Amino acid sequence: MRFNRMLLSATLVVVALVIQVSVLARLHLPGAVPDLVLLTVLALAMVYGHVGGALIGFGAGLLADLAPPADHAAGRYALVLCVIGYFAGLVKPENGQLKSATGPMAVVVAAAVGSTLLYAGVGALVGDTAARHVGLGSLLFTAALYDLLLAPFVVPALMALARRAENNPLAETSGSAKAADVSVGWLSSGTGLRIGRQRGGLRVKAAKARVARAGRIKGVKRL
């Protein structure tokens, strides 16, 4: 991943995690908690593709695993978001532009359900039966509902921000223009090539003037 992708992704993931832990997790909503980190991974994956989505998902999940008050094994949510980010990146359009909001909303619902199922499945493998006691059906419904209600305010804005950073020609244009200016300045002032050409032109003009003057003088003497 390029540096601007990593910087933007890390910033957005950290901000989403802080908001989720400090605000959304304290709302005490019935069932699941709105997953702002998941929506951030989905938005970035639908811009950067499946490879970038998998990497961002793994990093975001690992941060969520380590952030307090995490009560599960580290790497569990990293695996979930890595898989979700990979599959979400597969729906990235070729031109980077989405024709309608139906596709992203369907991806959000599928990701909310899939992440809940995958998280509960991994938990069952390691002996965590909390989802069974809470009720898996209730978790699936509330996770999909909360994420779907939150997605219109998060996913389009993050996708637009990521596309703007990805397709920003300012850096390349300014860099090439600056390089051109530096090269022109280097050739004109640093190396003295243009000065040499100017001196050569003055010498040629002076020589032509002397020849013309000599011709006029000879013509006068002949007369």
Side-chain angles (χ1 to χ4, degrees):
M1 297 178 67
R2 293 185 294 182
F3 178 75
N4 60 338
R5 286 188 180 185
M6 293 188 293
L7 182 60
L8 178 62
S9 302
T11 303
L12 294 178
V13 167
V14 170
V15 171
L17 182 60
V18 171
I19 295 175
Q20 181 170 330
V21 172
S22 60
V23 178
L24 298 179
R26 298 184 180 183
L27 295 178
H28 301 292
L29 297 174
V33 176
D35 200 339
L36 186 58
V37 176
L38 173 64
L39 296 179
T40 303
V41 171
L42 293 179
L44 296 176
M46 286 188 286
V47 176
Y48 296 149
H50 59 282
V51 177
L55 294 175
I56 295 171
F58 179 80
L62 189 59
L63 287 178
D65 288 332
L66 300 177
D71 56 351
H72 55 269
R76 180 176 170 184
Y77 202 47
L79 173 62
V80 172
L81 287 188
C82 180
V83 175
I84 295 298
Y86 177 84
F87 284 104
L90 294 177
V91 302
K92 173 190 174 183
E94 294 295 333
N95 56 358
Q97 300 290 336
L98 297 173
K99 297 181 180 180
S100 66
T102 305
M105 294 301 103
V107 171
V108 168
V109 175
V113 174
S115 61
T116 304
L117 289 175
L118 187 57
Y119 186 83
V122 175
L125 293 177
V126 296
D128 186 2
T129 59
R132 185 181 305 173
H133 297 293
V134 175
L136 186 58
S138 175
L139 285 177
L140 292 175
F141 176 76
T142 54
L145 178 62
Y146 296 155
D147 291 347
L148 189 60
L149 292 176
L150 187 60
F153 304 98
V154 176
V155 175
L158 295 185
M159 291 183 66
L161 182 62
R163 281 197 300 264
R164 183 176 181 180
E166 183 74 5
N167 300 325
N168 185 13
L170 183 60
E172 297 179 0
T173 303
S174 62
S176 60
K178 186 176 181 181
D181 294 339
V182 170
S183 63
V184 171
W186 178 267
L187 290 176
S188 61
S189 60
T191 60
L193 292 179
R194 184 176 294 180
I195 296 175
R197 292 174 182 175
Q198 292 176 354
R199 290 177 179 175
L202 292 176
R203 290 175 181 175
V204 171
K205 290 182 181 180
K208 289 182 179 180
R210 287 196 296 269
V211 172
R213 186 181 304 170
R216 288 197 297 271
I217 293 174
K218 290 180 180 180
V220 171
K221 289 181 177 180
R222 288 175 182 177
L223 291 175

